[in-house]
Amino acid sequence: QYIKYFLQEGAKNRKGTQTISLVFETNIRNAILEVCKKDTAANLFLLVLEFLADYMYFELRTEVIGIDKFVQIIEEYKLKRRADINAKHFLELCMAANILKQANDAFVVGFYDKNTYAYFVARALNRQFEKSHTNLQKLRFVMEHICFGINDTIILLRIS
């Protein structure tokens, strides 16, 4: 995937500047576009995934949630943002795109891997920071609890 991105997008001109973040984001967007075929739907999916990751990380402090809680979070997003999204269909498409997964017992949902989860938490943090530079509560929480292991979760923060 990385080689494809470099060849198709000409990333060699941006060597050393946001390359990993751009590759990661492009792969996620392309995976979503492959399953939903509409750019506007892909944008909505990205926003819902941000909301989901933010809720799971900051409100529930968990990596997996039950199906009922998943549906409840999607319904909350629908009410807050007046969005037209079906939780079951959204889950099916996100699973097909390898963004979300269900555990073997099929009663819990989580992000496909920790890097994807961390990416959407970081996107949500960045969006909130852009809205209000003074509300640093969530950012402080992340900084107090951040830890890096060898080849473990990467937190990708985009600085605007």
Side-chain angles (χ1 to χ4, degrees):
Q1 288 180 338
Y2 296 112
I3 293 170
K4 257 191 215 177
Y5 174 79
F6 284 111
L7 293 174
Q8 292 174 352
E9 303 295 327
K12 62 183 178 271
N13 297 333
R14 291 186 299 271
K15 186 176 180 182
T17 60
Q18 300 176 338
T19 304
I20 291 175
S21 192
L22 288 172
V23 170
F24 202 79
E25 186 168 344
T26 299
N27 287 338
I28 288 172
R29 179 174 282 282
N30 287 343
I32 292 171
L33 282 171
E34 282 181 28
V35 296
C36 64
K37 306 294 183 204
K38 291 182 186 173
D39 193 43
T40 55
N43 288 334
L44 176 61
F45 274 44
L46 291 169
L47 292 171
V48 175
L49 287 163
E50 278 180 38
F51 185 83
L52 177 66
D54 180 80
Y55 197 97
M56 287 172 61
Y57 187 77
F58 292 108
E59 301 297 323
L60 303 175
R61 303 212 197 305
T62 187
E63 292 183 22
V64 295
I65 53 175
I67 294 292
D68 292 342
K69 191 64 173 176
F70 175 81
V71 171
Q72 180 186 344
I73 294 168
I74 301 304
E75 291 299 318
E76 186 176 330
Y77 182 87
K78 284 172 61 171
L79 287 173
K80 284 185 175 183
R81 304 292 194 275
R82 296 183 182 159
D84 181 27
I85 189 160
N86 177 285
K88 182 180 179 189
H89 184 66
F90 174 74
L91 177 59
E92 289 170 355
L93 292 178
C94 286
M95 286 175 32
N98 290 328
I99 305 294
L100 296 176
K101 65 179 179 180
Q102 284 187 279
N104 292 337
D105 62 10
F107 294 115
V108 296
V109 175
F111 282 85
Y112 191 75
D113 57 39
K114 289 183 179 186
N115 291 334
T116 304
Y117 183 33
Y119 171 75
F120 282 105
V121 170
R123 276 183 59 111
L125 265 175
N126 192 56
R127 183 176 307 282
Q128 292 164 15
F129 184 72
E130 287 174 356
K131 286 181 182 177
S132 172
H133 295 293
T134 58
N135 186 357
L136 302 175
Q137 181 181 0
K138 288 182 178 180
L139 188 56
R140 282 191 186 107
F141 176 82
V142 169
M143 296 309 289
E144 289 171 4
H145 296 88
I146 196 168
C147 62
F148 294 99
I150 297 172
N151 296 325
D152 203 350
T153 303
I154 300 170
I155 295 182
L156 304 171
L157 294 173
R158 297 181 326 188
I159 305 298
S160 300

